[in-house]
Amino acid sequence: MEQHLLAYLTTKYGVRQLITQWLTSILAAVEHFAPRDAQTALFGKVLRNEVEEEFEEAQLRVVATANSLLHSILQSQHPLMPDEAMSELVKQHLKGALPDVIWREVVQGFCKSKDVAMVCQRVRAAAVVYDSAEGRALSPSRSRSPSPRWGGSLPNSPRREVASEGPAVSFHVVTQILLRWNLELHERALGPIVDAFRLIDDHKQGRLTKDQFSKFCNLINPAISQQEIMSLLGTMAHCDSNMVTFSSCAHALVAELTKMMNHVNDVAINRVQSQA
């Protein structure tokens, strides 16, 4: 990815001094904003060949899923609300603070049950830092859901307020933590691929020759056949006729690594069962 960025700057500016200045500024900006913004953190990892470019699509799905979960939760709380009023209520929650009971339900809908407590803890910690940095501590009044209004109360339904067991948290903070959590899980799965790639990539350019790619595949999965390697190579995006990028390798090999790890787990389970 860094090679693509350098090529873009070279095409746009052409002068070495300007290219260097822009590249330095971009890298410094990424380092500065990465702790605050999950997508900037992802961009930095892509530049350093730690995560494949295609993972951005997965992160966009995280945001879409969080939006969908919020909409479903609010619909369940206000089943009689007209569509137009519901859309407005969702917008208010997206821009404002979510009561504790709502944002925890979003987290529960997104994460595995074993991870919910940890992610909720991260949301609370991040909310304190975010609101402190923004200079706008959450007040108790913000811990309530925005009141639905479309010319009156819910038909034949008393006004309901959602009780909150903890502080309200902005939807932005919740999505930031979910994005970082999703990225963290992906990095764990990608770890062996990153290590193998760096071992083979002698010149640290983020690219491998076809011969290097074969060695790389064998490091990931010693049981992989040459035919499978050629099949993978045929589906990958090439930098040129003889090179493949880290992103292409990672994207292609994540599935292969998962298959290999499943095989290892199956062998381990069979061994335990045979010893029982």
Side-chain angles (χ1 to χ4, degrees):
M1 181 63 172
E2 190 168 348
Q3 296 295 323
H4 292 303
L5 178 59
L6 189 58
Y8 169 78
L9 294 175
T10 301
T11 301
K12 184 173 179 64
Y13 297 107
V15 181
R16 182 182 295 275
Q17 184 177 0
L18 284 176
I19 295 169
T20 302
Q21 288 177 349
W22 271 98
L23 183 60
T24 301
S25 297
I26 291 172
L27 296 179
V30 169
E31 183 178 358
H32 177 75
F33 289 104
R36 311 180 191 180
D37 182 75
Q39 293 298 69
T40 303
L42 173 61
F43 181 62
K45 291 179 182 295
V46 171
L47 284 177
R48 296 189 296 273
N49 293 318
E50 296 173 2
V51 176
E52 75 277 22
E53 299 169 37
E54 292 82 358
F55 189 66
E56 182 184 6
E57 296 177 8
Q59 294 295 73
L60 293 176
R61 288 195 295 272
V62 169
V63 178
T65 299
N67 276 268
S68 179
L69 285 167
L70 176 60
H71 189 275
S72 297
I73 292 166
L74 292 175
Q75 267 193 327
S76 68
Q77 291 182 349
H78 307 286
L80 301 179
M81 184 177 289
D83 291 343
E84 186 176 343
M86 176 57 65
S87 296
E88 182 60 32
L89 185 62
V90 171
K91 288 180 182 178
Q92 292 177 31
H93 280 78
L94 290 175
K95 295 178 181 179
L98 304 182
D100 178 87
V101 67
I102 291 182
W103 69 255
R104 280 192 293 108
E105 196 168 341
V106 171
V107 172
Q108 290 168 2
F110 182 86
C111 299
K112 294 181 178 180
S113 56
K114 66 182 180 64
D115 299 325
V116 169
M118 179 185 296
V119 175
C120 285
Q121 184 178 8
R122 293 186 183 187
V123 170
R124 292 187 182 97
V128 173
V129 173
Y130 175 79
D131 285 306
S132 175
E134 293 293 314
R136 52 176 188 80
L138 292 171
S139 63
S141 62
R142 293 179 61 191
S143 66
R144 298 174 178 174
S145 294
S147 300
R149 293 190 179 91
W150 59 91
S153 303
L154 282 168
N156 302 320
S157 176
R159 181 180 176 185
R160 179 176 63 173
E161 302 220 352
V162 179
S164 178
E165 299 176 1
V169 176
S170 72
F171 183 77
H172 172 76
V173 169
V174 176
T175 54
Q176 284 291 306
I177 296 303
L178 293 180
L179 285 167
R180 289 186 183 277
W181 177 248
N182 198 49
L183 177 59
E184 183 178 323
L185 294 178
H186 186 65
E187 285 187 282
R188 292 179 194 172
L190 210 59
I193 292 175
V194 174
D195 293 340
F197 191 94
R198 289 175 176 172
L199 191 63
I200 301 297
D201 183 19
D202 299 330
H203 300 293
K204 311 303 177 188
Q205 294 181 336
R207 299 180 295 175
L208 299 180
T209 64
K210 291 182 179 180
D211 289 340
Q212 287 177 319
F213 179 72
S214 293
K215 295 177 182 178
F216 169 70
C217 289
N218 281 301
L219 277 178
I220 297 298
N221 184 4
I224 193 171
S225 68
Q226 190 62 30
Q227 183 178 356
E228 288 175 314
I229 292 175
M230 295 308 296
S231 177
L232 284 171
L233 196 57
T235 63
M236 293 166 57
H238 294 240
C239 292
D240 54 48
S241 59
N242 295 310
M243 308 290 286
V244 292
T245 65
F246 166 79
S247 284
S248 295
C249 290
H251 188 61
L253 266 294
V254 164
E256 189 64 33
L257 179 65
T258 301
K259 183 172 68 175
M260 183 189 72
M261 293 308 296
N262 288 339
H263 173 71
V264 170
N265 290 337
D266 289 342
V267 170
I269 291 171
N270 291 335
R271 185 183 300 116
V272 170
Q273 290 176 341
S274 64
Q275 294 174 350

PDB file of all heavy atoms in Angstrom, residues 176-201:
ATOM      1  N   GLN A 176     -16.797   3.066  17.301  1.00  0.00           N
ATOM      2  CA  GLN A 176     -15.338   3.081  17.310  1.00  0.00           C
ATOM      3  C   GLN A 176     -14.777   1.853  18.028  1.00  0.00           C
ATOM      4  O   GLN A 176     -13.831   1.212  17.558  1.00  0.00           O
ATOM      5  CB  GLN A 176     -14.820   4.355  17.988  1.00  0.00           C
ATOM      6  CG  GLN A 176     -14.928   5.607  17.138  1.00  0.00           C
ATOM      7  CD  GLN A 176     -13.967   5.575  15.952  1.00  0.00           C
ATOM      8  OE1 GLN A 176     -12.764   5.381  16.107  1.00  0.00           O
ATOM      9  NE2 GLN A 176     -14.515   5.745  14.767  1.00  0.00           N
ATOM     10  N   ILE A 177     -15.377   1.503  19.155  1.00  0.00           N
ATOM     11  CA  ILE A 177     -14.907   0.335  19.904  1.00  0.00           C
ATOM     12  C   ILE A 177     -15.210  -0.955  19.146  1.00  0.00           C
ATOM     13  O   ILE A 177     -14.385  -1.882  19.115  1.00  0.00           O
ATOM     14  CB  ILE A 177     -15.536   0.300  21.308  1.00  0.00           C
ATOM     15  CG1 ILE A 177     -15.061   1.517  22.117  1.00  0.00           C
ATOM     16  CG2 ILE A 177     -15.152  -0.988  22.035  1.00  0.00           C
ATOM     17  CD1 ILE A 177     -13.548   1.634  22.242  1.00  0.00           C
ATOM     18  N   LEU A 178     -16.373  -1.043  18.526  1.00  0.00           N
ATOM     19  CA  LEU A 178     -16.705  -2.232  17.743  1.00  0.00           C
ATOM     20  C   LEU A 178     -15.759  -2.390  16.555  1.00  0.00           C
ATOM     21  O   LEU A 178     -15.345  -3.504  16.224  1.00  0.00           O
ATOM     22  CB  LEU A 178     -18.155  -2.163  17.261  1.00  0.00           C
ATOM     23  CG  LEU A 178     -19.236  -2.246  18.345  1.00  0.00           C
ATOM     24  CD1 LEU A 178     -20.630  -2.162  17.715  1.00  0.00           C
ATOM     25  CD2 LEU A 178     -19.105  -3.530  19.163  1.00  0.00           C
ATOM     26  N   LEU A 179     -15.402  -1.279  15.927  1.00  0.00           N
ATOM     27  CA  LEU A 179     -14.453  -1.318  14.811  1.00  0.00           C
ATOM     28  C   LEU A 179     -13.081  -1.790  15.280  1.00  0.00           C
ATOM     29  O   LEU A 179     -12.433  -2.623  14.631  1.00  0.00           O
ATOM     30  CB  LEU A 179     -14.340   0.066  14.166  1.00  0.00           C
ATOM     31  CG  LEU A 179     -15.502   0.511  13.282  1.00  0.00           C
ATOM     32  CD1 LEU A 179     -15.408   1.998  12.984  1.00  0.00           C
ATOM     33  CD2 LEU A 179     -15.534  -0.291  11.977  1.00  0.00           C
ATOM     34  N   ARG A 180     -12.643  -1.266  16.405  1.00  0.00           N
ATOM     35  CA  ARG A 180     -11.324  -1.665  16.937  1.00  0.00           C
ATOM     36  C   ARG A 180     -11.338  -3.129  17.386  1.00  0.00           C
ATOM     37  O   ARG A 180     -10.336  -3.838  17.216  1.00  0.00           O
ATOM     38  CB  ARG A 180     -10.922  -0.748  18.094  1.00  0.00           C
ATOM     39  CG  ARG A 180     -10.572   0.668  17.643  1.00  0.00           C
ATOM     40  CD  ARG A 180     -10.043   1.513  18.769  1.00  0.00           C
ATOM     41  NE  ARG A 180      -9.786   2.863  18.317  1.00  0.00           N
ATOM     42  CZ  ARG A 180      -8.680   3.255  17.685  1.00  0.00           C
ATOM     43  NH1 ARG A 180      -7.711   2.379  17.455  1.00  0.00           N
ATOM     44  NH2 ARG A 180      -8.526   4.506  17.305  1.00  0.00           N
ATOM     45  N   TRP A 181     -12.449  -3.564  17.950  1.00  0.00           N
ATOM     46  CA  TRP A 181     -12.553  -4.955  18.382  1.00  0.00           C
ATOM     47  C   TRP A 181     -12.512  -5.888  17.169  1.00  0.00           C
ATOM     48  O   TRP A 181     -11.826  -6.901  17.176  1.00  0.00           O
ATOM     49  CB  TRP A 181     -13.838  -5.151  19.170  1.00  0.00           C
ATOM     50  CG  TRP A 181     -14.077  -6.563  19.611  1.00  0.00           C
ATOM     51  CD1 TRP A 181     -15.046  -7.413  19.174  1.00  0.00           C
ATOM     52  CD2 TRP A 181     -13.313  -7.287  20.579  1.00  0.00           C
ATOM     53  NE1 TRP A 181     -14.946  -8.625  19.803  1.00  0.00           N
ATOM     54  CE2 TRP A 181     -13.887  -8.579  20.677  1.00  0.00           C
ATOM     55  CE3 TRP A 181     -12.214  -6.982  21.370  1.00  0.00           C
ATOM     56  CZ2 TRP A 181     -13.386  -9.556  21.530  1.00  0.00           C
ATOM     57  CZ3 TRP A 181     -11.714  -7.961  22.225  1.00  0.00           C
ATOM     58  CH2 TRP A 181     -12.300  -9.219  22.295  1.00  0.00           C
ATOM     59  N   ASN A 182     -13.244  -5.533  16.136  1.00  0.00           N
ATOM     60  CA  ASN A 182     -13.252  -6.345  14.914  1.00  0.00           C
ATOM     61  C   ASN A 182     -11.862  -6.392  14.285  1.00  0.00           C
ATOM     62  O   ASN A 182     -11.412  -7.447  13.810  1.00  0.00           O
ATOM     63  CB  ASN A 182     -14.256  -5.761  13.920  1.00  0.00           C
ATOM     64  CG  ASN A 182     -14.651  -6.745  12.840  1.00  0.00           C
ATOM     65  OD1 ASN A 182     -15.004  -7.883  13.111  1.00  0.00           O
ATOM     66  ND2 ASN A 182     -14.592  -6.310  11.595  1.00  0.00           N
ATOM     67  N   LEU A 183     -11.173  -5.260  14.304  1.00  0.00           N
ATOM     68  CA  LEU A 183      -9.813  -5.199  13.775  1.00  0.00           C
ATOM     69  C   LEU A 183      -8.862  -6.055  14.613  1.00  0.00           C
ATOM     70  O   LEU A 183      -8.010  -6.771  14.071  1.00  0.00           O
ATOM     71  CB  LEU A 183      -9.330  -3.743  13.750  1.00  0.00           C
ATOM     72  CG  LEU A 183      -7.889  -3.498  13.286  1.00  0.00           C
ATOM     73  CD1 LEU A 183      -7.677  -4.021  11.876  1.00  0.00           C
ATOM     74  CD2 LEU A 183      -7.568  -1.993  13.357  1.00  0.00           C
ATOM     75  N   GLU A 184      -9.017  -5.998  15.911  1.00  0.00           N
ATOM     76  CA  GLU A 184      -8.169  -6.788  16.809  1.00  0.00           C
ATOM     77  C   GLU A 184      -8.343  -8.286  16.560  1.00  0.00           C
ATOM     78  O   GLU A 184      -7.350  -9.037  16.500  1.00  0.00           O
ATOM     79  CB  GLU A 184      -8.511  -6.456  18.258  1.00  0.00           C
ATOM     80  CG  GLU A 184      -7.650  -7.172  19.284  1.00  0.00           C
ATOM     81  CD  GLU A 184      -7.991  -6.789  20.700  1.00  0.00           C
ATOM     82  OE1 GLU A 184      -8.312  -5.598  20.939  1.00  0.00           O
ATOM     83  OE2 GLU A 184      -7.954  -7.675  21.583  1.00  0.00           O
ATOM     84  N   LEU A 185      -9.596  -8.722  16.410  1.00  0.00           N
ATOM     85  CA  LEU A 185      -9.853 -10.136  16.131  1.00  0.00           C
ATOM     86  C   LEU A 185      -9.231 -10.554  14.800  1.00  0.00           C
ATOM     87  O   LEU A 185      -8.663 -11.645  14.674  1.00  0.00           O
ATOM     88  CB  LEU A 185     -11.366 -10.403  16.101  1.00  0.00           C
ATOM     89  CG  LEU A 185     -12.128 -10.241  17.419  1.00  0.00           C
ATOM     90  CD1 LEU A 185     -13.610 -10.497  17.199  1.00  0.00           C
ATOM     91  CD2 LEU A 185     -11.578 -11.175  18.488  1.00  0.00           C
ATOM     92  N   HIS A 186      -9.338  -9.680  13.815  1.00  0.00           N
ATOM     93  CA  HIS A 186      -8.773  -9.991  12.497  1.00  0.00           C
ATOM     94  C   HIS A 186      -7.254 -10.067  12.549  1.00  0.00           C
ATOM     95  O   HIS A 186      -6.643 -10.934  11.925  1.00  0.00           O
ATOM     96  CB  HIS A 186      -9.213  -8.933  11.486  1.00  0.00           C
ATOM     97  CG  HIS A 186      -8.799  -9.230  10.085  1.00  0.00           C
ATOM     98  ND1 HIS A 186      -9.268 -10.311   9.378  1.00  0.00           N
ATOM     99  CD2 HIS A 186      -7.924  -8.590   9.254  1.00  0.00           C
ATOM    100  CE1 HIS A 186      -8.729 -10.335   8.166  1.00  0.00           C
ATOM    101  NE2 HIS A 186      -7.906  -9.308   8.073  1.00  0.00           N
ATOM    102  N   GLU A 187      -6.645  -9.167  13.315  1.00  0.00           N
ATOM    103  CA  GLU A 187      -5.186  -9.178  13.430  1.00  0.00           C
ATOM    104  C   GLU A 187      -4.684 -10.465  14.090  1.00  0.00           C
ATOM    105  O   GLU A 187      -3.614 -10.976  13.744  1.00  0.00           O
ATOM    106  CB  GLU A 187      -4.715  -7.966  14.224  1.00  0.00           C
ATOM    107  CG  GLU A 187      -4.761  -6.666  13.446  1.00  0.00           C
ATOM    108  CD  GLU A 187      -4.138  -5.528  14.213  1.00  0.00           C
ATOM    109  OE1 GLU A 187      -4.805  -4.994  15.123  1.00  0.00           O
ATOM    110  OE2 GLU A 187      -2.973  -5.167  13.911  1.00  0.00           O
ATOM    111  N   ARG A 188      -5.454 -10.972  15.047  1.00  0.00           N
ATOM    112  CA  ARG A 188      -5.069 -12.236  15.680  1.00  0.00           C
ATOM    113  C   ARG A 188      -5.047 -13.355  14.645  1.00  0.00           C
ATOM    114  O   ARG A 188      -4.105 -14.167  14.605  1.00  0.00           O
ATOM    115  CB  ARG A 188      -6.055 -12.594  16.794  1.00  0.00           C
ATOM    116  CG  ARG A 188      -6.013 -11.679  18.004  1.00  0.00           C
ATOM    117  CD  ARG A 188      -7.048 -12.139  19.023  1.00  0.00           C
ATOM    118  NE  ARG A 188      -7.303 -11.140  20.047  1.00  0.00           N
ATOM    119  CZ  ARG A 188      -8.266 -11.231  20.956  1.00  0.00           C
ATOM    120  NH1 ARG A 188      -9.066 -12.304  20.950  1.00  0.00           N
ATOM    121  NH2 ARG A 188      -8.448 -10.282  21.854  1.00  0.00           N
ATOM    122  N   ALA A 189      -6.082 -13.403  13.814  1.00  0.00           N
ATOM    123  CA  ALA A 189      -6.153 -14.445  12.784  1.00  0.00           C
ATOM    124  C   ALA A 189      -5.067 -14.256  11.729  1.00  0.00           C
ATOM    125  O   ALA A 189      -4.558 -15.218  11.158  1.00  0.00           O
ATOM    126  CB  ALA A 189      -7.535 -14.430  12.137  1.00  0.00           C
ATOM    127  N   LEU A 190      -4.722 -12.988  11.496  1.00  0.00           N
ATOM    128  CA  LEU A 190      -3.769 -12.658  10.438  1.00  0.00           C
ATOM    129  C   LEU A 190      -2.316 -12.780  10.891  1.00  0.00           C
ATOM    130  O   LEU A 190      -1.402 -12.765  10.061  1.00  0.00           O
ATOM    131  CB  LEU A 190      -4.043 -11.222   9.959  1.00  0.00           C
ATOM    132  CG  LEU A 190      -3.723 -10.873   8.507  1.00  0.00           C
ATOM    133  CD1 LEU A 190      -4.511 -11.762   7.556  1.00  0.00           C
ATOM    134  CD2 LEU A 190      -4.055  -9.406   8.246  1.00  0.00           C
ATOM    135  N   GLY A 191      -2.089 -12.896  12.204  1.00  0.00           N
ATOM    136  CA  GLY A 191      -0.734 -12.897  12.746  1.00  0.00           C
ATOM    137  C   GLY A 191       0.238 -13.835  12.055  1.00  0.00           C
ATOM    138  O   GLY A 191       1.325 -13.409  11.625  1.00  0.00           O
ATOM    139  N   PRO A 192      -0.092 -15.128  11.883  1.00  0.00           N
ATOM    140  CA  PRO A 192       0.837 -16.050  11.206  1.00  0.00           C
ATOM    141  C   PRO A 192       1.135 -15.642   9.771  1.00  0.00           C
ATOM    142  O   PRO A 192       2.243 -15.855   9.283  1.00  0.00           O
ATOM    143  CB  PRO A 192       0.081 -17.389  11.252  1.00  0.00           C
ATOM    144  CG  PRO A 192      -0.843 -17.262  12.408  1.00  0.00           C
ATOM    145  CD  PRO A 192      -1.274 -15.829  12.434  1.00  0.00           C
ATOM    146  N   ILE A 193       0.158 -15.038   9.098  1.00  0.00           N
ATOM    147  CA  ILE A 193       0.359 -14.600   7.709  1.00  0.00           C
ATOM    148  C   ILE A 193       1.330 -13.427   7.668  1.00  0.00           C
ATOM    149  O   ILE A 193       2.230 -13.372   6.824  1.00  0.00           O
ATOM    150  CB  ILE A 193      -0.988 -14.223   7.071  1.00  0.00           C
ATOM    151  CG1 ILE A 193      -1.837 -15.482   6.889  1.00  0.00           C
ATOM    152  CG2 ILE A 193      -0.787 -13.515   5.739  1.00  0.00           C
ATOM    153  CD1 ILE A 193      -3.232 -15.216   6.371  1.00  0.00           C
ATOM    154  N   VAL A 194       1.158 -12.475   8.565  1.00  0.00           N
ATOM    155  CA  VAL A 194       2.058 -11.311   8.622  1.00  0.00           C
ATOM    156  C   VAL A 194       3.487 -11.763   8.926  1.00  0.00           C
ATOM    157  O   VAL A 194       4.447 -11.316   8.281  1.00  0.00           O
ATOM    158  CB  VAL A 194       1.582 -10.299   9.685  1.00  0.00           C
ATOM    159  CG1 VAL A 194       2.591  -9.166   9.840  1.00  0.00           C
ATOM    160  CG2 VAL A 194       0.211  -9.747   9.316  1.00  0.00           C
ATOM    161  N   ASP A 195       3.632 -12.657   9.901  1.00  0.00           N
ATOM    162  CA  ASP A 195       4.966 -13.152  10.272  1.00  0.00           C
ATOM    163  C   ASP A 195       5.629 -13.880   9.107  1.00  0.00           C
ATOM    164  O   ASP A 195       6.821 -13.676   8.830  1.00  0.00           O
ATOM    165  CB  ASP A 195       4.866 -14.091  11.482  1.00  0.00           C
ATOM    166  CG  ASP A 195       4.434 -13.365  12.741  1.00  0.00           C
ATOM    167  OD1 ASP A 195       4.569 -12.127  12.789  1.00  0.00           O
ATOM    168  OD2 ASP A 195       3.960 -14.042  13.677  1.00  0.00           O
ATOM    169  N   ALA A 196       4.865 -14.738   8.421  1.00  0.00           N
ATOM    170  CA  ALA A 196       5.416 -15.495   7.295  1.00  0.00           C
ATOM    171  C   ALA A 196       5.799 -14.569   6.150  1.00  0.00           C
ATOM    172  O   ALA A 196       6.852 -14.739   5.515  1.00  0.00           O
ATOM    173  CB  ALA A 196       4.405 -16.538   6.820  1.00  0.00           C
ATOM    174  N   PHE A 197       4.965 -13.576   5.881  1.00  0.00           N
ATOM    175  CA  PHE A 197       5.235 -12.639   4.788  1.00  0.00           C
ATOM    176  C   PHE A 197       6.519 -11.858   5.048  1.00  0.00           C
ATOM    177  O   PHE A 197       7.358 -11.689   4.156  1.00  0.00           O
ATOM    178  CB  PHE A 197       4.067 -11.682   4.603  1.00  0.00           C
ATOM    179  CG  PHE A 197       4.145 -10.854   3.342  1.00  0.00           C
ATOM    180  CD1 PHE A 197       3.516 -11.280   2.184  1.00  0.00           C
ATOM    181  CD2 PHE A 197       4.849  -9.656   3.305  1.00  0.00           C
ATOM    182  CE1 PHE A 197       3.583 -10.537   1.022  1.00  0.00           C
ATOM    183  CE2 PHE A 197       4.933  -8.901   2.151  1.00  0.00           C
ATOM    184  CZ  PHE A 197       4.297  -9.342   1.000  1.00  0.00           C
ATOM    185  N   ARG A 198       6.686 -11.374   6.274  1.00  0.00           N
ATOM    186  CA  ARG A 198       7.881 -10.595   6.612  1.00  0.00           C
ATOM    187  C   ARG A 198       9.143 -11.450   6.529  1.00  0.00           C
ATOM    188  O   ARG A 198      10.220 -10.949   6.199  1.00  0.00           O
ATOM    189  CB  ARG A 198       7.733 -10.005   8.014  1.00  0.00           C
ATOM    190  CG  ARG A 198       6.712  -8.880   8.072  1.00  0.00           C
ATOM    191  CD  ARG A 198       6.492  -8.387   9.487  1.00  0.00           C
ATOM    192  NE  ARG A 198       5.587  -7.243   9.529  1.00  0.00           N
ATOM    193  CZ  ARG A 198       5.095  -6.708  10.636  1.00  0.00           C
ATOM    194  NH1 ARG A 198       5.423  -7.237  11.814  1.00  0.00           N
ATOM    195  NH2 ARG A 198       4.283  -5.671  10.579  1.00  0.00           N
ATOM    196  N   LEU A 199       9.003 -12.720   6.820  1.00  0.00           N
ATOM    197  CA  LEU A 199      10.144 -13.633   6.740  1.00  0.00           C
ATOM    198  C   LEU A 199      10.597 -13.831   5.294  1.00  0.00           C
ATOM    199  O   LEU A 199      11.791 -13.926   5.016  1.00  0.00           O
ATOM    200  CB  LEU A 199       9.766 -14.980   7.362  1.00  0.00           C
ATOM    201  CG  LEU A 199      10.898 -15.974   7.609  1.00  0.00           C
ATOM    202  CD1 LEU A 199      11.901 -15.412   8.611  1.00  0.00           C
ATOM    203  CD2 LEU A 199      10.339 -17.306   8.117  1.00  0.00           C
ATOM    204  N   ILE A 200       9.643 -13.862   4.368  1.00  0.00           N
ATOM    205  CA  ILE A 200       9.943 -14.100   2.956  1.00  0.00           C
ATOM    206  C   ILE A 200      10.280 -12.806   2.215  1.00  0.00           C
ATOM    207  O   ILE A 200      11.104 -12.793   1.300  1.00  0.00           O
ATOM    208  CB  ILE A 200       8.748 -14.780   2.259  1.00  0.00           C
ATOM    209  CG1 ILE A 200       8.429 -16.113   2.948  1.00  0.00           C
ATOM    210  CG2 ILE A 200       9.028 -15.029   0.782  1.00  0.00           C
ATOM    211  CD1 ILE A 200       9.535 -17.139   2.865  1.00  0.00           C
ATOM    212  N   ASP A 201       9.655 -11.704   2.618  1.00  0.00           N
ATOM    213  CA  ASP A 201       9.851 -10.409   1.943  1.00  0.00           C
ATOM    214  C   ASP A 201      11.200  -9.805   2.335  1.00  0.00           C
ATOM    215  O   ASP A 201      11.293  -8.932   3.195  1.00  0.00           O
ATOM    216  CB  ASP A 201       8.705  -9.467   2.323  1.00  0.00           C
ATOM    217  CG  ASP A 201       8.785  -8.124   1.602  1.00  0.00           C
ATOM    218  OD1 ASP A 201       9.473  -8.040   0.569  1.00  0.00           O
ATOM    219  OD2 ASP A 201       8.146  -7.166   2.086  1.00  0.00           O
TER     220      ASP A 201
END
